[in-house]
Amino acid sequence: MLSKALIFMLVFVTSGEISRSGAAAQRDFSALVAPLRRCVRLLPVQSEDLAVEVFQAVDLPLTVHEAALTKTDKGLFLKLALGNSLDLKMIGLRYSLVTINSKNELHFIANRVEGFSLPAYASKTVTFKTPLKFKAKDGERLAVMVEQVVSRETIWEVIKAKEAFEAYARGDYSVVPVVLRVANQVDSPPGQLRMFY
């Protein structure tokens, strides 16, 4: 086994010292080794994304499958993998982004409304264009909660979202977010207003 390893190393050392007359042989040898070099160069670079926990309100028609903050030189951008469970096109949402420290205390970073377009029963990953500027401290974790979902016909609103989010941060999962569904009287096309009771 040792002799095979020694021969293999000698081939690598001498291949660099082949004269121009043996260039064809060197090309043949490098064709065998070149795929190995290409594999090394194509290794993925570690992602600059920060993982974000998702506190999901189950009665919302929009499900957040994954969440992350993407680092750029302009700031951090929230990226959400969304799924639409209804036959309505979703056009926006409101979310809260928080940090949770080692004492399970919640600190709000942002509460924003963002627009997007998600057809019925579809899913896609959306990166919002509004930058977030803050510095995450060691030992803190990030969490996001969707508090409102908007379609042209309907608005779904989480009632007492802050209290539910604070309970989640403390590890109290018995507080279930309640969702109120109302007609969207702003974005509905004329004559197509739906009433919910």
Side-chain angles (χ1 to χ4, degrees):
M1 183 71 175
L2 183 61
S3 63
K4 287 182 183 179
L6 185 58
I7 292 171
F8 188 70
M9 288 182 60
L10 285 174
V11 168
F12 273 102
V13 171
T14 57
S15 67
E17 298 172 5
I18 295 176
S19 66
R20 293 309 280 159
S21 62
Q26 187 176 3
R27 267 185 267 134
D28 293 339
F29 178 77
S30 64
L32 295 172
V33 179
L36 296 175
R37 280 187 262 157
R38 281 191 208 119
C39 291
V40 171
R41 288 183 189 156
L42 294 178
L43 288 175
V45 179
Q46 283 188 342
S47 172
E48 289 291 322
D49 289 354
L50 297 172
V52 178
E53 295 176 23
V54 178
F55 178 41
Q56 186 73 49
V58 293
D59 290 336
L60 289 175
L62 205 61
T63 306
V64 181
H65 301 290
E66 292 180 23
L69 286 175
T70 303
K71 285 184 183 179
T72 69
D73 55 346
K74 295 179 182 176
L76 296 164
F77 294 88
L78 182 64
K79 179 170 60 172
L80 300 177
L82 302 172
N84 182 357
S85 62
L86 291 183
D87 62 347
L88 300 172
K89 177 181 176 183
M90 300 300 157
I91 60 172
L93 61 78
R94 186 180 76 240
Y95 70 87
S96 284
L97 180 68
V98 300
T99 59
I100 303 170
N101 65 18
S102 59
K103 297 177 184 176
N104 293 329
E105 296 170 335
L106 192 118
H107 299 282
F108 282 86
I109 297 170
N111 186 289
R112 297 222 171 123
V113 175
E114 298 284 357
F116 61 94
S117 178
L118 184 59
Y121 301 116
S123 62
K124 73 176 181 180
T125 300
V126 178
T127 302
F128 299 119
K129 297 185 192 278
T130 310
L132 300 160
K133 298 200 180 209
F134 76 97
K135 290 193 177 184
K137 298 174 185 168
D138 289 341
E140 287 185 334
R141 54 191 223 264
L142 296 161
V144 67
M145 176 184 185
V146 175
E147 297 179 354
Q148 184 184 71
V149 177
V150 180
S151 74
R152 292 210 181 279
E153 300 82 7
T154 311
I155 298 173
W156 293 264
E157 179 80 31
V158 177
I159 306 300
K160 297 185 179 178
K162 183 179 178 185
E163 289 82 356
F165 214 168
E166 287 172 343
Y168 169 81
R170 290 190 310 268
D172 180 4
Y173 304 116
S174 66
V175 179
V176 179
V178 176
V179 176
L180 177 66
R181 180 180 175 180
V182 297
N184 185 347
Q185 298 180 6
V186 175
D187 297 317
S188 287
Q192 293 187 8
L193 186 62
R194 295 183 183 182
M195 299 301 288
F196 299 102
Y197 300 97

